[in-house]
Amino acid sequence: MKGFMIAGVSSGIGKTTVSMGLMSLFDNVSPFKVGPDYIDPGFHQFVTGNKSYNLDLFMMGEDGVKYSFYKHAKDISIVEGVMGLYDGIDHSLDNNSSAHISRLLNLPVILIVDGGGKSTSIAAQVLGYKMFDKRVNLAGVIINRVSEKMYEHYKEAIEKFTDVKCLGYVPEDKTLNLSSRHLGLLQADEIGDLKEKIHHLKSVLEKTIDKEEISKISEIADVKSIKYPFEHLKDKYKGYKIGIARDNAFSFYYNDNLELLEYLGFIIVPFSPIKDKKIPEVDMLYFGGGYPEIYSEQLSKNKSLINSIIKFYKNNGIIFGECGGFMFLTDGIKQLDGSYSQMCQIINCNIEMRNRLDISRFGYISIEKNGNIIGRGHEFHYSKIENVYKDTREYNAEKPNGKKWTCIFSNKNLKAGYPHLHFFKSIEFLKELLEKMEDKK
């Protein structure tokens, strides 16, 4: 099989642009993203026409990462890294970084380096990344934001001093910058000319990237069989229906999570809280993350849909909400300008938007109950919980540094909170959520 990882020397170096460009150059690509991000996989899918899967050691474990990667591999797998190559949850080398993932999967790494303000020093930079952990197969370099003349200048230095191949460059061209999105607020289907931008990017890289050499270095060991960690749960809920909120307000779902639900036997029924007048006939509702604050007016005005959710809840329907989905289930959302939109009023608290990331609740977390870890996930939100009128939170979130706080409201058959969970390391939480389904048999 073939595959490689696109990694950067830092965040903001152009990984997403280069990744999408390379994905457009190859046929039948299986795209992946290191880490918990939801936005970039949407762009991967737009470019390749294939689903993109997250690879996250903290939330999935080694077996989960291996299973997802080998299960979904196609003609060539292209993995977009996260942050800088060696950046992870701590300063160890086994720190869930892109480098850590590349070693686990024996993936060759193509490093993205910025071409500005350097000369021979660029070779020292590449050599440092190569020597920092010799177990990482740093197989090539692509230089971003550089002219053809300067690329040849840098190529000479890098290949002379590092024995790392230069595989091409991306010219300085603002129209090629597809990743200048304000905090990820724009998703792939919200950029009207994205198809034209990708076409332009592809036409440029066809001239500046050595596709043949990349194909040569992409040979990796083929693993024929990786056991699915959840084979013992196959069809446990066969025939049950789960309504998945899918529209511009709710779009953050891990593909592996949805496929696990289908493996359990669930029939997935998508619906739009913005457009639909009522929920579908289902046994469970799943509200993923997204941007309900941006669409709060439309959501609030859709009273018939909200009333159908409330009726479902009162009739003991099972509901799960993550981050944006949780916000939708609360009393309402207060915007930065002071305006207020009423939401479902099932969880008795208000949400207040802030103009900056809630850093105190940012990052990877373990979900704890009664002293036991039953889930893994992460938090990332620009809002805070205000005015809790009835506090039914019964779980703790714990960061790797030991900091804890209460999270996830539990009312009747509902569980919802800020954490985004990956089910591969949250199967005990998922079982707890679904245990009410057993009562319906």
Side-chain angles (χ1 to χ4, degrees):
M1 60 185 295
K2 290 189 174 185
F4 60 88
M5 176 183 288
I6 297 294
V9 297
S10 67
S11 295
I13 200 70
K15 289 189 301 293
T16 300
T17 299
V18 174
S19 295
M20 288 193 290
L22 293 181
M23 288 174 188
S24 72
L25 293 181
F26 290 90
D27 295 325
N28 199 24
V29 172
S30 46
F32 297 89
K33 172 67 181 180
V34 176
D37 177 64
Y38 291 100
I39 296 293
D40 290 339
F43 283 83
H44 297 171
Q45 182 168 332
F46 185 94
V47 175
T48 66
N50 294 321
K51 292 179 181 178
S52 181
Y53 294 82
N54 294 73
L55 303 174
D56 192 299
L57 283 165
F58 182 85
M59 298 197 303
M60 300 169 67
E62 287 192 4
D63 289 344
V65 166
K66 287 180 178 179
Y67 172 82
S68 186
F69 181 74
Y70 293 115
K71 168 69 165 60
H72 301 115
K74 300 186 184 301
D75 289 356
I76 187 166
S77 298
I78 300 180
V79 181
E80 179 183 349
V82 62
M83 301 174 65
L85 174 59
Y86 294 104
D87 298 328
I89 61 175
D90 56 32
H91 294 312
S92 70
L93 296 181
D94 293 338
N95 61 351
N96 305 328
S97 64
S98 299
H100 191 180
I101 292 280
S102 77
R103 289 192 284 108
L104 179 70
L105 300 174
N106 296 313
L107 282 171
V109 174
I110 297 174
L111 187 69
I112 309 301
V113 181
D114 191 274
K118 303 182 188 73
S119 183
T120 311
S121 295
I122 198 169
Q125 184 180 27
V126 172
L127 185 61
Y129 277 82
K130 177 183 178 182
M131 301 300 292
F132 189 76
D133 186 349
K134 293 182 180 179
R135 296 171 298 174
V136 174
N137 178 14
L138 184 53
V141 172
I142 290 175
I143 304 176
N144 195 19
R145 295 186 279 262
V146 68
S147 67
E148 181 179 6
K149 183 177 180 181
M150 286 306 298
Y151 169 69
E152 293 298 333
H153 177 69
Y154 290 141
K155 182 176 186 288
E156 179 184 357
I158 291 170
E159 295 188 345
K160 178 179 180 179
F161 291 108
T162 72
D163 197 33
V164 176
K165 291 180 180 292
C166 285
L167 302 170
Y169 68 98
V170 181
E172 179 70 57
D173 183 345
K174 291 183 179 180
T175 64
L176 297 178
N177 188 4
L178 303 177
S179 58
S180 58
R181 308 183 299 279
H182 177 59
L183 303 171
L185 288 179
L186 285 180
Q187 301 171 69
D189 59 0
E190 295 177 294
I191 301 178
D193 61 346
L194 183 57
K195 186 175 181 180
E196 290 74 19
K197 286 178 176 290
I198 297 296
H199 179 75
H200 176 53
L201 176 62
K202 179 180 180 180
S203 67
V204 170
L205 296 194
E206 283 176 333
K207 302 182 183 74
T208 65
I209 295 294
D210 191 343
K211 177 183 173 182
E212 184 176 339
E213 187 61 36
I214 291 176
S215 185
K216 286 181 183 178
I217 68 172
S218 299
E219 297 288 344
I220 58 177
D222 191 3
V223 177
K224 298 185 182 301
S225 178
I226 297 292
K227 185 178 179 180
Y228 193 36
F230 312 109
E231 287 182 356
H232 61 292
L233 298 174
K234 182 171 176 56
D235 292 333
K236 183 176 177 64
Y237 300 98
K238 187 174 180 61
Y240 287 102
K241 295 181 179 180
I242 180 170
I244 305 286
R246 296 300 293 257
D247 56 24
N248 286 339
F250 306 100
S251 59
F252 294 168
Y253 299 92
Y254 294 125
N255 284 316
D256 274 317
N257 279 359
L258 299 182
E259 290 177 10
L260 174 56
L261 291 172
E262 289 181 313
Y263 189 82
L264 294 177
F266 281 102
I267 299 168
I268 290 179
V269 184
F271 71 100
S272 170
I274 294 177
K275 298 178 181 178
D276 292 340
K277 296 305 179 185
K278 64 178 183 178
I279 61 172
E281 294 290 331
V282 293
D283 302 285
M284 176 179 168
L285 295 174
Y286 181 5
F287 295 92
Y291 302 112
E293 68 274 18
I294 295 177
Y295 301 94
S296 60
E297 187 174 351
Q298 292 117 297
L299 290 168
S300 183
K301 287 181 176 179
N302 195 352
K303 299 298 184 185
S304 62
L305 185 282
I306 288 177
N307 288 337
S308 72
I309 295 172
I310 294 172
K311 182 179 178 181
F312 180 82
Y313 169 70
K314 289 182 177 179
N315 288 335
N316 297 317
I318 297 172
I319 301 177
F320 178 47
E322 295 177 306
C323 202
F326 153 68
M327 293 165 65
F328 179 53
L329 295 167
T330 66
D331 287 347
I333 300 173
K334 183 180 180 181
Q335 302 286 1
L336 292 174
D337 63 4
S339 62
Y340 182 82
S341 297
Q342 191 177 87
M343 295 289 114
C344 292
Q345 297 182 286
I346 294 175
I347 300 173
N348 298 131
C349 67
N350 292 312
I351 300 299
E352 185 173 313
M353 298 305 303
R354 302 296 176 90
N355 59 9
R356 60 182 179 273
L357 179 67
D358 184 357
I359 197 68
S360 68
R361 299 289 188 268
F362 165 70
Y364 287 120
I365 54 171
S366 296
I367 304 300
E368 178 191 84
K369 185 178 181 182
N370 299 326
N372 298 314
I373 301 298
I374 64 170
R376 289 280 182 89
H378 68 100
E379 286 197 19
F380 184 100
H381 45 92
Y382 281 72
S383 64
K384 284 193 172 184
I385 298 171
E386 300 288 343
N387 304 321
V388 179
Y389 301 108
K390 185 178 180 182
D391 196 343
T392 60
R393 287 171 286 189
E394 60 179 29
Y395 299 86
N396 286 320
E398 181 176 0
K399 296 184 76 169
N401 64 10
K403 183 177 180 179
K404 293 183 180 182
W405 61 90
T406 55
C407 68
I408 305 183
F409 290 80
S410 295
N411 302 340
K412 290 169 62 90
N413 297 322
L414 173 147
K415 294 185 186 297
Y418 273 125
H420 293 279
L421 301 181
H422 198 296
F423 294 155
F424 277 23
K425 277 293 184 179
S426 302
I427 197 66
E428 294 305 316
F429 178 88
L430 183 61
K431 287 178 181 177
E432 195 168 286
L433 174 67
L434 299 178
E435 66 180 6
K436 298 293 185 181
M437 202 76 74
E438 301 290 326
D439 299 336
K440 293 187 176 184
K441 285 188 176 180

